Amino acid sequence: MVSKGLKRFLSASVWVKWLMLSLTQILGRAVLCRCPRCAKAGLFKGFLTLVPACAACGLSLRGADSGDGPAVLLTFALGFFLIPPILVFALHSDWPMWRHGIVWSAVILGATLGSVRPAKALMVGLQYRTKPEMFEG
């Protein structure tokens, strides 16, 4: 006979495994900019414009609203990962200031433009996971 505590632990472990699996699926689909439900069709028809519905599974994306989420996520993430190496490099190099300005502006702009679509896809995927009723219709 299985004790009550063991049953609770096993059910919690299964729940945690399910949660992590689905979050990793959402992250993988966001990196590829794919539909959060089926991962077969693309999520964008332009640079940042969402398709009205998934071409593969028919998921309506009209209710998806990422708002300022991708901008805030990128501000914090890129600031955390790019600024410290830039400062360390600037302290240990003898480049003139104008060269730092040109090089690091291009690096930051490229990193931002390269990651804004996956960040928006991540916000849409998280919204689909937490509020799936917004995607009905």
Side-chain angles (χ1 to χ4, degrees), residues 32-87:
L32 297 173
C33 297
R34 298 287 182 191
C35 172
R37 183 196 287 167
C38 70
K40 294 181 182 170
L43 202 57
F44 298 100
K45 68 178 175 183
F47 184 65
L48 286 177
T49 307
L50 291 173
V51 294
C54 175
C57 68
L59 177 69
S60 175
L61 296 168
R62 294 189 191 278
D65 181 25
S66 61
D68 291 336
V72 171
L73 176 69
L74 290 179
T75 299
F76 286 118
L78 293 178
F80 180 78
F81 289 112
L82 289 181
I83 298 303
I86 289 172
L87 290 175

Side-chain angles (χ1 to χ4, degrees), residues 1 3 5 7 10 23 35 41 71-72 96-97 103 123 127:
M1 184 158 196
S3 71
K7 282 183 182 178
L10 290 175
L23 288 177
C35 172
V72 171
M97 243 354 169
V103 169
M123 293 298 151
Q127 187 178 18

Side-chain angles (χ1 to χ4, degrees), residues 2-134:
V2 179
S3 71
K4 207 188 273 187
L6 183 59
K7 282 183 182 178
R8 192 174 326 143
F9 173 76
L10 290 175
S11 66
S13 296
V14 169
W15 183 81
V16 167
K17 287 178 186 175
W18 171 82
L19 178 67
M20 292 309 295
L21 178 65
S22 63
L23 288 177
T24 55
Q25 284 177 343
I26 289 171
L27 186 60
R29 292 170 183 181
V31 168
L32 297 173
C33 297
R34 298 287 182 191
C35 172
R37 183 196 287 167
C38 70
K40 294 181 182 170
L43 202 57
F44 298 100
K45 68 178 175 183
F47 184 65
L48 286 177
T49 307
L50 291 173
V51 294
C54 175
C57 68
L59 177 69
S60 175
L61 296 168
R62 294 189 191 278
D65 181 25
S66 61
D68 291 336
V72 171
L73 176 69
L74 290 179
T75 299
F76 286 118
L78 293 178
F80 180 78
F81 289 112
L82 289 181
I83 298 303
I86 289 172
L87 290 175
V88 168
F89 185 83
L91 290 173
H92 291 29
S93 71
D94 57 353
W95 281 6
M97 243 354 169
W98 62 267
R99 188 178 296 167
H100 282 290
I102 291 172
V103 169
W104 299 123
S105 295
V107 168
I108 291 170
L109 182 64
T112 302
L113 292 177
S115 57
V116 71
R117 283 177 60 140
K120 185 169 182 172
L122 177 64
M123 293 298 151
V124 170
L126 290 173
Q127 187 178 18
Y128 173 71
R129 186 180 185 306
T130 57
K131 297 180 181 180
E133 66 273 2
M134 295 182 73

